[in-house]
Short mmCIF file of all heavy atoms in Angstrom, two decimals:
data_model
loop_
_atom_site.label_atom_id
_atom_site.label_comp_id
_atom_site.label_asym_id
_atom_site.label_seq_id
_atom_site.Cartn_x
_atom_site.Cartn_y
_atom_site.Cartn_z
N MET A 1 0.82 -1.21 0.00
CA MET A 1 0.00 0.01 -0.02
C MET A 1 0.86 1.26 0.00
O MET A 1 0.31 2.36 -0.02
CB MET A 1 -0.93 -0.01 1.24
CG MET A 1 -1.99 -1.05 1.23
SD MET A 1 -3.16 -0.89 -0.17
CE MET A 1 -4.18 0.43 0.39
N ASP A 2 2.16 1.13 0.02
CA ASP A 2 3.03 2.30 -0.03
C ASP A 2 2.88 3.04 -1.32
O ASP A 2 3.06 4.25 -1.37
CB ASP A 2 4.50 1.89 0.14
CG ASP A 2 4.84 1.53 1.58
OD1 ASP A 2 4.00 1.87 2.46
OD2 ASP A 2 5.89 0.94 1.82
N TRP A 3 2.53 2.33 -2.42
CA TRP A 3 2.35 3.01 -3.70
C TRP A 3 1.22 4.02 -3.67
O TRP A 3 1.19 4.96 -4.41
CB TRP A 3 2.10 1.95 -4.79
CG TRP A 3 0.85 1.15 -4.56
CD1 TRP A 3 0.77 -0.01 -3.87
CD2 TRP A 3 -0.45 1.47 -4.98
NE1 TRP A 3 -0.54 -0.45 -3.84
CE2 TRP A 3 -1.32 0.48 -4.52
CE3 TRP A 3 -1.03 2.51 -5.67
CZ2 TRP A 3 -2.68 0.44 -4.72
CZ3 TRP A 3 -2.38 2.50 -5.92
CH2 TRP A 3 -3.21 1.49 -5.43
N LEU A 4 0.28 3.85 -2.72
CA LEU A 4 -0.87 4.78 -2.61
C LEU A 4 -0.60 5.84 -1.56
O LEU A 4 -0.83 7.05 -1.79
CB LEU A 4 -2.11 3.99 -2.26
CG LEU A 4 -3.38 4.82 -1.97
CD1 LEU A 4 -3.79 5.59 -3.21
CD2 LEU A 4 -4.49 3.95 -1.48
N PHE A 5 -0.12 5.43 -0.39
CA PHE A 5 -0.04 6.34 0.74
C PHE A 5 1.12 7.28 0.69
O PHE A 5 1.02 8.43 1.17
CB PHE A 5 -0.07 5.59 2.04
CG PHE A 5 -1.42 4.94 2.35
CD1 PHE A 5 -1.54 3.57 2.39
CD2 PHE A 5 -2.54 5.72 2.49
CE1 PHE A 5 -2.77 2.99 2.61
CE2 PHE A 5 -3.77 5.17 2.73
CZ PHE A 5 -3.89 3.78 2.78
N LYS A 6 2.25 6.90 0.14
CA LYS A 6 3.38 7.83 0.07
C LYS A 6 3.14 8.98 -0.89
O LYS A 6 3.39 10.12 -0.52
CB LYS A 6 4.64 7.04 -0.29
CG LYS A 6 5.14 6.21 0.87
CD LYS A 6 6.53 5.66 0.66
CE LYS A 6 6.89 4.85 1.89
NZ LYS A 6 8.27 4.65 2.01
N PRO A 7 2.62 8.75 -2.11
CA PRO A 7 2.33 9.92 -2.93
C PRO A 7 1.20 10.78 -2.35
O PRO A 7 1.19 11.99 -2.47
CB PRO A 7 1.86 9.32 -4.28
CG PRO A 7 2.45 7.97 -4.26
CD PRO A 7 2.51 7.54 -2.86
N LEU A 8 0.24 10.13 -1.68
CA LEU A 8 -0.85 10.86 -1.08
C LEU A 8 -0.30 11.76 0.08
O LEU A 8 -0.69 12.93 0.22
CB LEU A 8 -1.88 9.89 -0.50
CG LEU A 8 -3.23 10.43 -0.12
CD1 LEU A 8 -3.92 11.13 -1.28
CD2 LEU A 8 -4.09 9.34 0.42
N ALA A 9 0.63 11.25 0.86
CA ALA A 9 1.23 12.02 1.93
C ALA A 9 2.02 13.18 1.38
O ALA A 9 1.96 14.30 1.91
CB ALA A 9 2.12 11.12 2.78
N ARG A 10 2.76 12.96 0.30
CA ARG A 10 3.53 14.03 -0.33
C ARG A 10 2.62 15.14 -0.87
O ARG A 10 2.88 16.33 -0.76
CB ARG A 10 4.41 13.50 -1.44
CG ARG A 10 5.68 12.85 -0.93
CD ARG A 10 6.68 12.66 -2.02
NE ARG A 10 6.17 11.80 -3.14
CZ ARG A 10 6.30 10.48 -3.20
NH1 ARG A 10 6.94 9.85 -2.25
NH2 ARG A 10 5.82 9.81 -4.22
N PHE A 11 1.45 14.73 -1.41
CA PHE A 11 0.49 15.71 -1.89
C PHE A 11 -0.03 16.57 -0.78
O PHE A 11 -0.15 17.79 -0.89
CB PHE A 11 -0.67 15.00 -2.62
CG PHE A 11 -1.80 15.95 -2.95
CD1 PHE A 11 -1.67 16.88 -3.97
CD2 PHE A 11 -2.95 15.88 -2.23
CE1 PHE A 11 -2.69 17.75 -4.25
CE2 PHE A 11 -4.02 16.77 -2.50
CZ PHE A 11 -3.88 17.69 -3.51
N PHE A 12 -0.42 15.94 0.35
CA PHE A 12 -0.92 16.69 1.46
C PHE A 12 0.14 17.60 2.10
O PHE A 12 -0.17 18.73 2.51
CB PHE A 12 -1.56 15.77 2.53
CG PHE A 12 -2.91 15.27 2.14
CD1 PHE A 12 -3.15 13.92 2.04
CD2 PHE A 12 -3.94 16.15 1.91
CE1 PHE A 12 -4.42 13.47 1.68
CE2 PHE A 12 -5.22 15.70 1.57
CZ PHE A 12 -5.45 14.36 1.44
N GLU A 13 1.34 17.14 2.15
CA GLU A 13 2.43 18.01 2.66
C GLU A 13 2.63 19.21 1.76
O GLU A 13 2.79 20.33 2.24
CB GLU A 13 3.73 17.24 2.77
CG GLU A 13 3.76 16.24 3.89
CD GLU A 13 4.99 15.36 3.90
OE1 GLU A 13 5.82 15.46 2.94
OE2 GLU A 13 5.14 14.54 4.80
N TRP A 14 2.52 19.00 0.46
CA TRP A 14 2.67 20.08 -0.48
C TRP A 14 1.49 21.07 -0.34
O TRP A 14 1.68 22.29 -0.37
CB TRP A 14 2.74 19.58 -1.91
CG TRP A 14 2.64 20.62 -2.94
CD1 TRP A 14 3.59 21.45 -3.35
CD2 TRP A 14 1.46 20.98 -3.66
NE1 TRP A 14 3.14 22.33 -4.31
CE2 TRP A 14 1.82 22.06 -4.52
CE3 TRP A 14 0.17 20.53 -3.72
CZ2 TRP A 14 0.90 22.68 -5.38
CZ3 TRP A 14 -0.74 21.12 -4.55
CH2 TRP A 14 -0.37 22.18 -5.38
N SER A 15 0.26 20.57 -0.22
CA SER A 15 -0.89 21.44 -0.14
C SER A 15 -0.89 22.27 1.14
O SER A 15 -1.34 23.39 1.14
CB SER A 15 -2.19 20.60 -0.23
OG SER A 15 -2.35 19.80 0.90
N PHE A 16 -0.37 21.71 2.26
CA PHE A 16 -0.31 22.52 3.48
C PHE A 16 0.80 23.56 3.43
O PHE A 16 0.70 24.54 4.14
CB PHE A 16 -0.14 21.61 4.69
CG PHE A 16 -1.42 20.92 5.07
CD1 PHE A 16 -1.54 19.53 5.02
CD2 PHE A 16 -2.55 21.65 5.47
CE1 PHE A 16 -2.73 18.94 5.38
CE2 PHE A 16 -3.71 21.03 5.81
CZ PHE A 16 -3.81 19.67 5.75
N THR A 17 1.80 23.41 2.60
CA THR A 17 2.80 24.48 2.46
C THR A 17 2.16 25.70 1.80
O THR A 17 2.59 26.82 2.12
CB THR A 17 4.02 24.01 1.63
OG1 THR A 17 3.59 23.59 0.34
CG2 THR A 17 4.79 22.92 2.34
N ILE A 18 1.19 25.51 0.91
CA ILE A 18 0.49 26.64 0.34
C ILE A 18 -0.27 27.42 1.43
O ILE A 18 -0.26 28.63 1.46
CB ILE A 18 -0.47 26.17 -0.75
CG1 ILE A 18 0.32 25.58 -1.93
CG2 ILE A 18 -1.36 27.29 -1.24
CD1 ILE A 18 -0.54 24.93 -2.99
N LEU A 19 -0.92 26.69 2.32
CA LEU A 19 -1.62 27.35 3.41
C LEU A 19 -0.69 28.09 4.35
O LEU A 19 -1.02 29.14 4.87
CB LEU A 19 -2.42 26.32 4.24
CG LEU A 19 -3.62 25.71 3.53
CD1 LEU A 19 -4.31 24.66 4.42
CD2 LEU A 19 -4.63 26.72 3.12
N GLN A 20 0.52 27.56 4.55
CA GLN A 20 1.51 28.26 5.39
C GLN A 20 1.93 29.55 4.76
O GLN A 20 2.20 30.53 5.48
CB GLN A 20 2.70 27.36 5.65
CG GLN A 20 2.42 26.24 6.61
CD GLN A 20 3.63 25.33 6.79
OE1 GLN A 20 4.56 25.36 5.98
NE2 GLN A 20 3.60 24.50 7.79
N THR A 21 2.04 29.61 3.46
CA THR A 21 2.47 30.85 2.80
C THR A 21 1.36 31.89 2.84
O THR A 21 1.67 33.08 2.80
CB THR A 21 2.90 30.61 1.34
OG1 THR A 21 1.82 30.04 0.65
CG2 THR A 21 4.09 29.69 1.30
N LEU A 22 0.11 31.48 2.89
CA LEU A 22 -1.01 32.45 2.94
C LEU A 22 -1.19 33.07 4.31
O LEU A 22 -1.82 34.13 4.44
CB LEU A 22 -2.30 31.74 2.52
CG LEU A 22 -2.37 31.34 1.07
CD1 LEU A 22 -3.67 30.58 0.81
CD2 LEU A 22 -2.29 32.53 0.14
N ASN A 23 -0.66 32.41 5.34
CA ASN A 23 -0.80 32.90 6.73
C ASN A 23 -2.25 33.16 7.09
O ASN A 23 -3.12 32.29 6.92
CB ASN A 23 0.08 34.12 6.94
CG ASN A 23 1.54 33.81 6.94
OD1 ASN A 23 1.92 32.69 7.25
ND2 ASN A 23 2.33 34.75 6.56
N MET A 24 -2.54 34.38 7.59
CA MET A 24 -3.92 34.66 8.03
C MET A 24 -4.83 35.01 6.83
O MET A 24 -6.04 35.12 7.04
CB MET A 24 -3.89 35.86 9.00
CG MET A 24 -3.63 35.52 10.43
SD MET A 24 -4.85 34.40 11.15
CE MET A 24 -6.23 35.53 11.35
N GLY A 25 -4.27 35.17 5.66
CA GLY A 25 -5.11 35.50 4.52
C GLY A 25 -6.16 34.43 4.26
O GLY A 25 -7.28 34.78 3.90
N PHE A 26 -5.79 33.19 4.37
CA PHE A 26 -6.76 32.11 4.15
C PHE A 26 -7.85 32.14 5.21
O PHE A 26 -9.03 31.90 4.91
CB PHE A 26 -6.04 30.75 4.11
CG PHE A 26 -6.95 29.63 3.76
CD1 PHE A 26 -7.47 29.50 2.49
CD2 PHE A 26 -7.28 28.67 4.70
CE1 PHE A 26 -8.32 28.48 2.14
CE2 PHE A 26 -8.11 27.63 4.35
CZ PHE A 26 -8.64 27.53 3.07
N ASN A 27 -7.47 32.41 6.45
CA ASN A 27 -8.49 32.50 7.54
C ASN A 27 -9.47 33.61 7.27
O ASN A 27 -10.66 33.47 7.44
CB ASN A 27 -7.80 32.68 8.87
CG ASN A 27 -7.05 31.44 9.33
OD1 ASN A 27 -7.32 30.36 8.85
ND2 ASN A 27 -6.10 31.62 10.22
N TRP A 28 -8.96 34.81 6.86
CA TRP A 28 -9.85 35.92 6.54
C TRP A 28 -10.74 35.60 5.36
O TRP A 28 -11.90 36.02 5.34
CB TRP A 28 -9.06 37.19 6.28
CG TRP A 28 -8.46 37.78 7.55
CD1 TRP A 28 -7.15 37.90 7.87
CD2 TRP A 28 -9.15 38.26 8.68
NE1 TRP A 28 -6.98 38.43 9.10
CE2 TRP A 28 -8.22 38.69 9.62
CE3 TRP A 28 -10.52 38.39 8.99
CZ2 TRP A 28 -8.57 39.23 10.83
CZ3 TRP A 28 -10.87 38.94 10.21
CH2 TRP A 28 -9.91 39.35 11.12
N PHE A 29 -10.21 34.85 4.40
CA PHE A 29 -11.03 34.44 3.26
C PHE A 29 -12.19 33.54 3.72
O PHE A 29 -13.33 33.71 3.28
CB PHE A 29 -10.18 33.74 2.21
CG PHE A 29 -11.00 33.04 1.17
CD1 PHE A 29 -11.64 33.79 0.17
CD2 PHE A 29 -11.12 31.69 1.17
CE1 PHE A 29 -12.44 33.15 -0.78
CE2 PHE A 29 -11.90 31.07 0.19
CZ PHE A 29 -12.54 31.80 -0.77
N LEU A 30 -11.88 32.58 4.59
CA LEU A 30 -12.92 31.68 5.08
C LEU A 30 -13.97 32.43 5.91
O LEU A 30 -15.18 32.15 5.80
CB LEU A 30 -12.32 30.58 5.94
CG LEU A 30 -11.52 29.50 5.17
CD1 LEU A 30 -10.91 28.50 6.15
CD2 LEU A 30 -12.41 28.81 4.16
N ILE A 31 -13.54 33.38 6.71
CA ILE A 31 -14.46 34.15 7.51
C ILE A 31 -15.36 34.99 6.62
O ILE A 31 -16.59 35.04 6.81
CB ILE A 31 -13.70 35.05 8.53
CG1 ILE A 31 -13.02 34.21 9.57
CG2 ILE A 31 -14.59 36.11 9.14
CD1 ILE A 31 -11.98 34.96 10.40
N LEU A 32 -14.78 35.66 5.63
CA LEU A 32 -15.55 36.49 4.70
C LEU A 32 -16.52 35.63 3.87
O LEU A 32 -17.71 35.99 3.72
CB LEU A 32 -14.62 37.26 3.76
CG LEU A 32 -15.26 38.18 2.79
CD1 LEU A 32 -16.00 39.30 3.48
CD2 LEU A 32 -14.23 38.74 1.82
N ALA A 33 -16.05 34.49 3.36
CA ALA A 33 -16.90 33.65 2.56
C ALA A 33 -18.07 33.09 3.35
O ALA A 33 -19.19 33.09 2.87
CB ALA A 33 -16.08 32.51 1.92
N SER A 34 -17.82 32.63 4.60
CA SER A 34 -18.91 32.12 5.40
C SER A 34 -19.91 33.21 5.75
O SER A 34 -21.10 32.98 5.77
CB SER A 34 -18.38 31.42 6.65
OG SER A 34 -17.72 32.34 7.47
N GLY A 35 -19.43 34.44 5.99
CA GLY A 35 -20.34 35.56 6.31
C GLY A 35 -21.19 35.86 5.09
O GLY A 35 -22.42 36.12 5.23
N VAL A 36 -20.58 35.91 3.90
CA VAL A 36 -21.35 36.23 2.71
C VAL A 36 -22.39 35.15 2.41
O VAL A 36 -23.55 35.44 2.10
CB VAL A 36 -20.40 36.41 1.48
CG1 VAL A 36 -21.18 36.40 0.16
CG2 VAL A 36 -19.57 37.67 1.63
N PHE A 37 -22.00 33.91 2.53
CA PHE A 37 -22.97 32.81 2.29
C PHE A 37 -24.07 32.79 3.34
O PHE A 37 -25.23 32.47 3.01
CB PHE A 37 -22.25 31.46 2.18
CG PHE A 37 -21.53 31.26 0.89
CD1 PHE A 37 -20.22 30.88 0.89
CD2 PHE A 37 -22.21 31.47 -0.30
CE1 PHE A 37 -19.53 30.72 -0.29
CE2 PHE A 37 -21.50 31.28 -1.52
CZ PHE A 37 -20.19 30.91 -1.51
N THR A 38 -23.75 33.15 4.54
CA THR A 38 -24.79 33.20 5.59
C THR A 38 -25.80 34.31 5.28
O THR A 38 -27.00 34.11 5.41
CB THR A 38 -24.16 33.43 6.97
OG1 THR A 38 -23.26 32.35 7.27
CG2 THR A 38 -25.22 33.49 8.06
N LEU A 39 -25.30 35.46 4.90
CA LEU A 39 -26.20 36.58 4.57
C LEU A 39 -27.02 36.23 3.32
O LEU A 39 -28.21 36.53 3.27
CB LEU A 39 -25.40 37.86 4.30
CG LEU A 39 -24.78 38.48 5.54
CD1 LEU A 39 -23.92 39.69 5.14
CD2 LEU A 39 -25.88 38.91 6.53
N TRP A 40 -26.43 35.56 2.34
CA TRP A 40 -27.18 35.15 1.16
C TRP A 40 -28.27 34.19 1.55
O TRP A 40 -29.41 34.26 1.04
CB TRP A 40 -26.22 34.53 0.13
CG TRP A 40 -26.91 33.96 -1.05
CD1 TRP A 40 -27.38 34.68 -2.11
CD2 TRP A 40 -27.30 32.62 -1.28
NE1 TRP A 40 -28.00 33.82 -2.99
CE2 TRP A 40 -27.96 32.54 -2.50
CE3 TRP A 40 -27.08 31.45 -0.54
CZ2 TRP A 40 -28.42 31.35 -3.02
CZ3 TRP A 40 -27.57 30.27 -1.06
CH2 TRP A 40 -28.22 30.23 -2.30
N TRP A 41 -27.94 33.23 2.39
CA TRP A 41 -28.93 32.24 2.84
C TRP A 41 -30.07 32.92 3.58
O TRP A 41 -31.23 32.58 3.38
CB TRP A 41 -28.25 31.17 3.72
CG TRP A 41 -29.20 30.18 4.29
CD1 TRP A 41 -29.86 29.20 3.66
CD2 TRP A 41 -29.65 30.15 5.69
NE1 TRP A 41 -30.67 28.51 4.55
CE2 TRP A 41 -30.55 29.06 5.79
CE3 TRP A 41 -29.34 30.91 6.79
CZ2 TRP A 41 -31.15 28.78 6.99
CZ3 TRP A 41 -29.95 30.60 8.00
CH2 TRP A 41 -30.85 29.53 8.07
N MET A 42 -29.76 33.88 4.48
CA MET A 42 -30.80 34.60 5.20
C MET A 42 -31.68 35.35 4.24
O MET A 42 -32.92 35.43 4.43
CB MET A 42 -30.18 35.49 6.26
CG MET A 42 -29.54 34.72 7.39
SD MET A 42 -28.60 35.76 8.49
CE MET A 42 -29.86 36.77 9.22
N TRP A 43 -31.09 35.99 3.23
CA TRP A 43 -31.88 36.72 2.22
C TRP A 43 -32.79 35.78 1.42
O TRP A 43 -33.96 36.14 1.19
CB TRP A 43 -30.93 37.47 1.32
CG TRP A 43 -31.61 38.26 0.28
CD1 TRP A 43 -32.45 39.34 0.48
CD2 TRP A 43 -31.52 38.12 -1.13
NE1 TRP A 43 -32.89 39.82 -0.71
CE2 TRP A 43 -32.34 39.10 -1.74
CE3 TRP A 43 -30.82 37.26 -1.94
CZ2 TRP A 43 -32.48 39.23 -3.10
CZ3 TRP A 43 -30.96 37.38 -3.32
CH2 TRP A 43 -31.78 38.37 -3.88
N GLN A 44 -32.32 34.60 1.10
CA GLN A 44 -33.16 33.61 0.41
C GLN A 44 -34.29 33.16 1.27
O GLN A 44 -35.43 32.97 0.78
CB GLN A 44 -32.33 32.42 -0.04
CG GLN A 44 -31.29 32.74 -1.08
CD GLN A 44 -31.90 33.14 -2.40
OE1 GLN A 44 -32.96 32.63 -2.80
NE2 GLN A 44 -31.27 34.05 -3.09
N MET A 45 -34.05 32.98 2.55
CA MET A 45 -35.13 32.59 3.47
C MET A 45 -36.16 33.70 3.64
O MET A 45 -37.36 33.45 3.73
CB MET A 45 -34.55 32.20 4.82
CG MET A 45 -33.69 31.00 4.82
SD MET A 45 -34.57 29.50 4.37
CE MET A 45 -35.53 29.23 5.82
N TRP A 46 -35.70 34.94 3.64
CA TRP A 46 -36.62 36.06 3.77
C TRP A 46 -37.49 36.24 2.52
O TRP A 46 -38.67 36.56 2.59
CB TRP A 46 -35.80 37.35 4.02
CG TRP A 46 -36.62 38.57 4.17
CD1 TRP A 46 -37.45 38.89 5.20
CD2 TRP A 46 -36.69 39.67 3.26
NE1 TRP A 46 -38.03 40.09 4.99
CE2 TRP A 46 -37.57 40.62 3.81
CE3 TRP A 46 -36.08 39.96 2.04
CZ2 TRP A 46 -37.88 41.80 3.16
CZ3 TRP A 46 -36.38 41.15 1.43
CH2 TRP A 46 -37.27 42.07 1.99
N LYS A 47 -36.91 35.94 1.34
CA LYS A 47 -37.70 36.05 0.09
C LYS A 47 -38.75 34.94 -0.08
O LYS A 47 -39.76 35.17 -0.69
CB LYS A 47 -36.74 35.86 -1.12
CG LYS A 47 -36.15 37.15 -1.60
CD LYS A 47 -35.36 36.99 -2.91
CE LYS A 47 -35.14 35.63 -3.42
NZ LYS A 47 -34.35 35.58 -4.65
N HIS A 48 -38.52 33.82 0.54
CA HIS A 48 -39.38 32.66 0.37
C HIS A 48 -40.71 32.91 1.11
O HIS A 48 -40.71 33.28 2.26
CB HIS A 48 -38.73 31.42 0.95
CG HIS A 48 -39.39 30.15 0.52
ND1 HIS A 48 -40.42 29.63 1.24
CD2 HIS A 48 -39.18 29.34 -0.51
CE1 HIS A 48 -40.82 28.50 0.65
NE2 HIS A 48 -40.10 28.31 -0.44
N PRO A 49 -41.83 32.68 0.45
CA PRO A 49 -43.14 32.91 1.14
C PRO A 49 -43.36 31.87 2.23
O PRO A 49 -42.92 30.73 2.13
CB PRO A 49 -44.15 32.75 0.01
CG PRO A 49 -43.48 31.91 -1.03
CD PRO A 49 -42.00 32.21 -0.91
N LYS A 50 -43.98 32.32 3.26
CA LYS A 50 -44.28 31.45 4.41
C LYS A 50 -45.43 30.52 4.06
O LYS A 50 -46.36 30.90 3.37
CB LYS A 50 -44.58 32.23 5.65
CG LYS A 50 -43.43 33.03 6.16
CD LYS A 50 -43.75 33.77 7.41
CE LYS A 50 -42.56 34.54 7.88
NZ LYS A 50 -42.80 35.29 9.08
N GLU A 51 -45.33 29.30 4.56
CA GLU A 51 -46.40 28.33 4.33
C GLU A 51 -47.56 28.60 5.30
O GLU A 51 -47.38 28.93 6.44
CB GLU A 51 -45.88 26.93 4.51
CG GLU A 51 -44.82 26.56 3.49
CD GLU A 51 -44.30 25.14 3.72
OE1 GLU A 51 -44.81 24.44 4.63
OE2 GLU A 51 -43.33 24.80 3.05
N LYS A 52 -48.80 28.43 4.80
CA LYS A 52 -49.97 28.64 5.64
C LYS A 52 -50.56 27.30 5.99
O LYS A 52 -50.81 26.47 5.13
CB LYS A 52 -50.98 29.51 4.88
CG LYS A 52 -50.47 30.92 4.54
CD LYS A 52 -51.49 31.70 3.78
CE LYS A 52 -50.94 33.03 3.45
NZ LYS A 52 -51.85 33.81 2.63
N TYR A 53 -50.81 27.11 7.26
CA TYR A 53 -51.44 25.87 7.73
C TYR A 53 -52.72 26.21 8.41
O TYR A 53 -52.88 27.11 9.15
CB TYR A 53 -50.50 25.11 8.70
CG TYR A 53 -49.36 24.45 7.95
CD1 TYR A 53 -48.07 24.94 8.09
CD2 TYR A 53 -49.61 23.35 7.18
CE1 TYR A 53 -47.05 24.35 7.41
CE2 TYR A 53 -48.56 22.77 6.51
CZ TYR A 53 -47.26 23.23 6.64
OH TYR A 53 -46.22 22.65 6.00
#
C-alpha cells in the first residue's frame, strides 16, 4: 500500500505548504466567505413565502 499512501502524503504535505504561505489570509477568506454565504442564505429565506397551515 506504499504506492498509494506515500504519494498521497507528499500531496498533502505540499498542499499545506500553500496554506502556510497564505498565513492569516486564508483564515480571513474563510471568515468572509462564510459571512457572505450566511447573509445570502438569510436573504433567500426572507424572500421565500411562508407556508400557511
Side-chain angles (χ1 to χ4, degrees):
M1 293 298 283
D2 285 346
W3 61 270
L4 174 65
F5 290 116
K6 287 192 181 197
L8 194 59
R10 282 194 301 268
F11 170 74
F12 282 121
E13 287 174 357
W14 171 79
S15 67
F16 283 117
T17 58
I18 294 172
L19 290 178
Q20 287 176 345
T21 58
L22 292 176
N23 290 333
M24 276 299 286
F26 186 68
N27 290 339
W28 286 116
F29 169 73
L30 289 178
I31 292 167
L32 181 65
S34 63
V36 167
F37 284 127
T38 301
L39 289 175
W40 175 80
W41 175 72
M42 291 171 66
W43 181 60
Q44 294 294 326
M45 294 296 289
W46 180 68
K47 270 188 352 182
H48 194 272
K50 294 182 180 180
E51 296 179 4
K52 296 178 182 177
Y53 287 108

